[in-house]
Amino acid sequence: MENLPEKTCSIERLVTQPKLVAAAKAGTKTQQRRDGVYGWVGESFELDGMAFVVTGLSRQRLGDMTDEDARAEGFPGLAMYKDIILKMHTGMIWEEDHLVWVHSFAVKADA
């Protein structure tokens, strides 16, 4: 992917909620959507001492999210993902055309 914007935040801030950290460590969370870029493909980060690596970075419309995407975020389905995201971000409106950055990640192989 070329012409990426500057990072919005440090990769250490990619996954911060304790339940989502636990889901990533359990292997049920493999993606994190953010308004900005937090990490580049190949960049490593740690969650409670466990090493992960960013495996993909892409753009997606919120309206194009599926239940499968929500499961990759660590939620059972899109309805629950949307409900929790709106509760976490007071005042946020779910805009179907809003673009987010999808950070895909996996446990680092040499960890």
Side-chain angles (χ1 to χ4, degrees):
M1 183 176 268
E2 295 180 20
N3 300 322
L4 293 172
E6 294 293 320
K7 279 189 180 181
T8 305
C9 199
S10 139
I11 196 166
E12 289 80 22
R13 302 289 307 150
L14 183 62
V15 181
T16 58
Q17 296 293 323
K19 286 183 180 180
L20 299 179
V21 168
K25 291 176 68 178
T28 57
K29 178 175 180 61
T30 59
Q31 292 182 347
Q32 179 68 52
R33 283 159 178 75
R34 294 286 187 183
D35 274 334
V37 174
Y38 283 45
W40 309 119
V41 172
E43 190 172 0
S44 299
F45 62 100
E46 285 193 12
L47 299 173
D48 290 342
M50 190 171 184
F52 292 83
V53 63
V54 177
T55 58
L57 181 65
S58 61
R59 295 285 268 172
Q60 182 184 47
R61 289 176 59 249
L62 285 178
D64 291 336
M65 281 189 72
T66 64
D67 281 326
E68 184 178 340
D69 293 325
R71 284 190 290 278
E73 283 273 1
F75 295 87
L78 185 57
M80 182 175 281
Y81 173 82
K82 181 177 175 180
D83 182 58
I84 290 175
I85 290 299
L86 292 174
K87 286 178 181 172
M88 285 174 58
H89 301 284
T90 306
M92 178 184 171
I93 298 169
W94 188 272
E95 295 179 22
E96 298 285 314
D97 288 328
H98 183 77
L99 287 171
V100 293
W101 287 97
V102 182
H103 299 76
S104 298
F105 56 88
V107 173
K108 193 170 180 182
D110 59 359

